[in-house]
Amino acid sequence: MYDPGQLRTFLAVAQTLSFTQAARRLDVRQSTVSQHVRRLEAAAGDRQLFTRDTHSVELTEDGEAMLGFARTILAAHERAAAYFSGTRLRGRLRFGASEDFVLTRLPEILESFRTDHPEVDLELTVELSGTLHERLAAGELDLVLAKRRGGDTHGELVWRSSLAWIGAPQLRIDPERPVPLILFPAPGITRARALEVLEADGRPWRIACTSASLSGLIAAARAGLGVMAHSRGLIPPGLVPVPARAALPELGDVDFVLLHGQGHGRGRGRGSRSTATSDRSPADALADAILAGGDRLHRPADAR
């Protein structure tokens, strides 16, 4: 009843909230994306899955419901394909994830991957996005899930989010004094963006806290030591966006992408997602799992 190809297209649109970005991810035409969504809506009893205008794409209530069904159907489809093909993935997979995903449901995706592929030795590295980029380029990682540097275009887009200044609810920013910043150390991507926009705005700043641990930054922010630049879709509990009256400059958007190491890239076009084939690597399989569950990466671990 529900075509796997159409479901994958639906997930790509749901995660990027863009028909254009979904087409780029899948390496198909935008008209194909629109056609797949229309056919899926027809299969669902002519239920509308997205509301769409010239500026935005949003999931409807039925679209939100379809997310869970789509993930379940695709997971069962891929397990069946692997079982009947007799293909079992083996080998070592060095996977790097940025600190941003510590409090999300990424562990659930990794747990399912380990269950489905017990003969893959998964090595997880959690680091700053900038550090992961460096380690991938040095050949120390096979697959990375991280923020994309400004101006970069490589990588498979998992989802896009606006950045926001966040802090404790009781925090007040004095426009006459330097902005107190809570930052990752260099080469943190949000650190670079925060300093860049403040400098461009001519706004003085000072560093109130530096930590390589997201937990450390959150603790400092909850204590009211300052503000931090963070994905609007990943705001930790106990912190809120800084009010507009603080007049802090806009931080823009950030892309979260999957990047393959040398020798671990996709061997096929993005429009083709055949599973359990002889040329499918552990990195391919984990990338597929992350893309299928990408909407769960900007939801708290306790959200269901």
Side-chain angles (χ1 to χ4, degrees):
M1 181 176 179
Y2 297 112
D3 180 85
Q6 294 169 13
L7 291 173
R8 293 189 184 99
T9 299
F10 164 76
L11 283 178
V13 177
Q15 291 161 10
T16 61
L17 294 180
S18 168
F19 280 62
T20 301
Q21 291 296 333
R24 289 175 182 168
R25 177 199 283 187
L26 299 169
D27 194 23
V28 298
R29 295 181 178 180
Q30 188 170 331
S31 59
T32 301
V33 172
S34 298
Q35 182 184 68
H36 282 187
V37 170
R38 285 196 301 269
R39 288 179 176 175
L40 185 60
E41 288 175 332
D46 292 322
R47 302 288 188 93
Q48 186 177 9
L49 302 178
F50 298 102
T51 57
R52 181 183 182 189
D53 58 32
T54 56
H55 301 292
S56 65
V57 175
E58 299 292 338
L59 282 163
T60 64
E61 184 176 345
D62 287 326
E64 289 282 357
M66 182 62 79
L67 275 176
F69 295 132
R71 285 196 301 263
T72 301
I73 293 168
L74 287 174
H77 180 270
E78 293 189 6
R79 283 197 298 271
Y83 178 86
F84 287 107
S85 71
T87 300
R88 292 179 67 86
L89 289 176
R90 296 177 175 84
R92 177 188 182 202
L93 174 56
R94 301 167 300 172
F95 173 59
S98 79
E99 278 273 347
D100 301 87
F101 299 107
V102 167
L103 302 179
T104 72
R105 297 172 68 184
L106 177 61
E108 295 178 20
I109 296 174
L110 297 181
E111 181 183 13
S112 295
F113 176 82
R114 292 284 299 120
T115 300
D116 292 341
H117 307 289
E119 295 182 34
V120 173
D121 294 325
L122 178 63
E123 298 177 8
L124 174 64
T125 297
V126 178
E127 271 284 8
L128 303 180
S129 289
T131 302
L132 293 175
H133 282 275
E134 293 173 354
R135 294 192 63 181
L136 187 72
E140 297 173 2
L141 295 171
D142 306 315
L143 181 71
V144 159
L145 174 62
K147 292 191 288 288
R148 181 158 54 191
R149 294 185 177 104
D152 283 357
T153 58
H154 61 291
E156 296 180 85
L157 179 65
V158 179
W159 61 288
R160 174 172 292 161
S161 174
S162 60
L163 288 173
W165 297 103
I166 64 173
Q170 72 275 14
L171 180 67
R172 298 293 178 267
I173 300 296
D174 186 344
E176 302 301 319
R177 302 184 63 184
V179 180
L181 296 177
I182 298 171
L183 300 171
F184 282 118
I189 289 175
T190 50
R191 172 195 177 97
R193 181 75 61 83
L195 298 181
E196 175 186 324
V197 300
L198 288 171
E199 292 287 353
D201 195 56
R203 191 75 178 266
W205 51 270
R206 66 178 180 85
I207 296 180
C209 173
T210 301
S211 174
S213 163
L214 179 60
S215 297
L217 297 184
I218 292 172
R222 286 175 178 164
L225 297 188
V227 299
M228 56 188 288
H230 201 64
S231 166
R232 193 177 295 275
L234 293 172
I235 297 177
L239 300 177
V240 297
V242 174
R245 63 175 176 271
L248 295 176
E250 292 292 327
L251 287 157
D253 294 333
V254 63
D255 291 342
F256 292 88
V257 299
L258 280 167
L259 297 151
H260 290 256
Q262 293 185 351
H264 296 273
R266 301 279 186 172
R268 304 175 301 280
R270 301 299 304 124
S272 172
R273 277 195 171 278
S274 173
T275 61
T277 55
S278 60
D279 62 340
R280 189 170 185 246
S281 70
D284 286 340
L286 181 55
D288 285 341
I290 290 171
L291 288 169
D295 56 286
R296 294 192 288 178
L297 297 178
H298 47 104
R299 300 183 183 189
D302 58 356
R304 292 291 185 269

